[in-house]
Amino acid sequence: MIRQGLLGQLISDLCALPGVGPKSAQRMAFYLLQRDRGGAIRLAETLLSASKKIAYCEQCRTLTEDKLCRLCADKSRDSSMVCVVESPADVWAVEQAATFKGVYFVLHGHLSPLDGIGPEEIGLNLLENRLAAGDVGEIILATNSTVEGEATAHLIAEMAKKYQVKATRIAHGVPMGGELEYIDSGTLSHAFNGRRQV
Amino acid sequence: MIETVVSLQPAFILHHRNFRESSLIAEILTRDFGRFTVIAKGVRTPKSKLGPFIRPFVPVLLSIAGKSELKTLTHIEPWQSAPKLHDLALYSGFYINELVTYFLHPFDPHPEVFLLYQNALSELSNTLELEPVLRVFELNLLTQVGYGLQFDVDNLQHPVSPGKKYCFNAESGPVESEQGDFAGSTFLALEARSFPDRTTLTEAKKIMRSAINFHLNGKPLKSREVISKILKHSHS
């Protein structure tokens, strides 16, 4: 069937979502229009205001509708500990682990020389200003364990050294409940290099 | 194009980018089939067995299949231990990846370039003097892809004399000139692939840069630009 008119438009717009192809988009569209008009209107309004109002937090670059995000504005958190992550989704992941009580800095990517993504593109100027201001005591590098993630972590560690700020890298190794037999050799050698006394 | 099936081919991943929800598109350098692009489907999921091996600078064995120009990755496993690249050596690795991507045409077999690449990575991981490794790699890469330069004779076929001054022209090589920026000894060092001191290295870098820029026809090397910004951030 050729998709025409408003309905066709709706279906192809829904395809913009990750993991949604034409078939699921069609189901969504029909569901919203036949069963839940109220939900559809709410969704449309929320989408509109979210995409207009949500921007980057001035301090940590995570997504927020306020000037400062909830985490940066929270006085009970230790603002001298900064955890550097690649994406806002990583902030949520670390928050769910509930062990970290500091603040974050979101890079929105990683260094990628072949794509022309350098320090400025991932907001390191802003991070450098924060380091220079002198209120950061420790910087925790929680970038992904990819070559680019490591390169990014390394550069930030160098910057931290310049301002005499302690930089630490999160540990990589055997996952919880993991059996050694099934772990890839790269992770295993990382785990051995990072072993510690018990 | 006919169906190609390649199994357990020594290769390196040069670059990769995410594609759709869970796939990757990777630029690879194989030993016997040259450089080309593969799609690795479903490797960005937690359960993927192949995902962890798709990273640059790791020597791997990979199997591919496919009829179109974009081949599908069917298997990948570690081959040899990966050279440990840190700091500047790592950034230099990105640079040589970009050079290889630009100078090799897709599906043009260059086993020698594969060997050069492999050696360059292992040397980068074992030395603090990165520049000679990069210069030798650039020189040999240009030679292998047919852009070789002769540095021991000038444009008039006179032997280059170490004491004289020369200019450099990417097409004709050294040109003798009183106002030249480069010493004859630098060209002889490039020819011999051995660099005795810092001045020679600095001059050699400028010469190779202009030779490479000439062959790139104005295409900028992104990694070069990014690396200079990185250096500004980390050492200023």
Side-chain angles (χ1 to χ4, degrees):
Chain A
M1 195 185 90
I2 308 162
R3 283 192 228 106
Q4 284 176 333
L6 213 47
L7 186 58
Q9 180 73 42
L10 175 61
I11 294 173
S12 54
D13 285 351
L14 282 170
C15 287
L17 294 169
V20 176
K23 198 77 197 171
S24 353
Q26 196 179 318
R27 281 183 54 212
M28 289 176 187
F30 283 134
Y31 178 83
L32 288 174
L33 295 173
Q34 286 177 305
R35 309 272 167 91
D36 195 2
R37 291 262 171 160
I41 290 168
R42 266 199 313 282
L43 176 65
E45 280 167 357
T46 317
L47 261 180
L48 193 66
S49 59
S51 45
K52 272 190 187 152
K53 287 182 195 154
I54 294 181
Y56 291 174
C57 167
E58 281 180 0
Q59 205 173 320
C60 73
R61 305 216 316 154
T62 196
L63 296 170
T64 176
E65 70 257 44
D66 302 316
K67 262 181 128 173
L68 281 185
C69 70
R70 188 177 51 80
L71 298 171
C72 288
D74 187 346
K75 290 274 179 287
S76 69
R77 298 184 78 100
D78 180 1
S79 64
S80 71
M81 292 246 276
V82 178
C83 174
V84 180
V85 293
E86 288 187 17
S87 76
D90 296 338
V91 173
W92 285 55
V94 179
E95 272 305 289
Q96 277 189 338
T99 47
F100 181 65
K101 291 282 170 258
V103 293
Y104 295 89
F105 188 84
V106 183
L107 301 172
H108 294 281
H110 48 229
L111 286 181
S112 181
L114 271 72
D115 297 312
I117 298 175
E120 272 111 63
E121 284 77 9
I122 55 172
L124 292 192
N125 293 350
L126 196 60
L127 185 64
E128 188 156 16
N129 292 345
R130 253 171 102 175
L131 289 171
D135 43 9
V136 179
E138 179 178 352
I139 192 155
I140 301 167
L141 303 163
T143 50
N144 291 341
S145 177
T146 56
V147 171
E148 290 88 351
E150 295 294 340
T152 313
H154 188 90
L155 173 60
I156 299 172
E158 290 276 314
M159 280 167 47
K161 208 194 278 173
K162 212 162 64 180
Y163 295 101
Q164 278 110 40
V165 173
K166 179 176 157 196
T168 51
R169 180 87 172 103
I170 55 162
H172 307 297
V174 184
M176 292 269 274
E179 293 178 36
L180 291 196
E181 189 187 345
Y182 299 114
I183 292 169
D184 69 275
S185 51
T187 309
L188 208 52
S189 71
H190 238 304
F192 265 82
N193 292 336
R195 68 184 183 275
R196 54 172 193 215
Q197 202 167 0
V198 286
Chain B
M1 216 177 241
I2 45 161
E3 166 99 43
T4 348
V5 179
V6 173
S7 86
L8 298 178
Q9 172 67 210
F12 282 95
I13 309 287
L14 296 174
H15 186 45
H16 58 77
R17 61 191 162 84
N18 294 349
F19 178 66
R20 295 220 177 127
E21 268 300 85
S22 60
S23 304
L24 278 178
I25 289 187
E27 198 65 47
I28 59 171
L29 174 68
T30 60
R31 191 185 61 194
D32 303 328
F33 302 88
R35 171 188 77 81
F36 55 94
T37 316
V38 295
I39 178 164
K41 289 177 184 158
V43 293
R44 281 164 51 227
T45 51
K47 278 188 184 152
S48 169
K49 290 258 183 270
L50 307 184
F53 303 115
I54 305 180
R55 47 193 294 160
F57 313 123
V58 181
V60 288
L61 293 175
L62 46 80
S63 304
I64 51 159
K67 280 182 192 159
S68 67
E69 198 157 304
L70 180 67
K71 306 290 176 203
T72 305
L73 183 82
T74 51
H75 179 74
I76 182 167
E77 61 181 71
W79 175 37
Q80 294 166 342
S81 65
K84 292 196 169 39
L85 299 175
H86 296 293
D87 199 9
L88 265 181
L90 179 58
Y91 307 141
S92 308
F94 285 120
Y95 170 68
I96 67 172
N97 279 3
E98 192 168 21
L99 280 188
V100 170
T101 315
Y102 272 132
F103 280 101
L104 292 193
H105 294 289
F107 301 104
D108 190 7
H110 272 293
E112 335 71 46
V113 173
F114 183 83
L115 210 64
L116 284 179
Y117 179 82
Q118 204 177 6
N119 289 343
L121 285 192
S122 82
E123 280 171 34
L124 283 177
S125 68
N126 288 326
T127 176
L128 290 172
E129 279 295 321
L130 304 172
E131 283 194 29
V133 182
L134 293 176
R135 294 300 87 77
V136 171
F137 179 78
E138 291 165 346
L139 279 166
N140 291 339
L141 176 70
L142 288 182
T143 310
Q144 291 296 345
V145 298
Y147 296 139
L149 287 157
Q150 206 178 1
F151 291 115
D152 53 354
V153 289
D154 66 9
N155 58 328
L156 304 169
Q157 298 302 314
H158 299 309
V160 166
S161 142
K164 286 184 183 159
K165 286 278 181 194
Y166 292 85
C167 296
F168 176 69
N169 180 306
E171 278 175 291
S172 52
V175 180
E176 192 182 332
S177 154
E178 292 274 309
Q179 289 86 41
D181 291 329
F182 310 113
S185 56
T186 306
F187 288 103
L188 295 172
L190 280 166
E191 187 65 33
R193 315 277 197 265
S194 130
F195 308 92
D197 53 57
R198 197 107 298 272
T199 330
T200 317
L201 272 175
T202 316
E203 288 189 3
K205 185 177 186 172
K206 285 185 188 150
I207 294 169
M208 288 314 295
R209 183 167 282 211
S210 71
I212 287 170
N213 286 350
F214 173 78
H215 291 299
L216 288 174
N217 288 328
K219 265 189 268 175
L221 279 177
K222 289 179 187 158
S223 59
R224 192 189 274 163
E225 210 173 294
V226 171
I227 291 164
S228 70
K229 279 189 200 157
I230 291 177
L231 293 183
K232 228 183 283 164
H233 266 270
S234 60
H235 298 294
S236 63

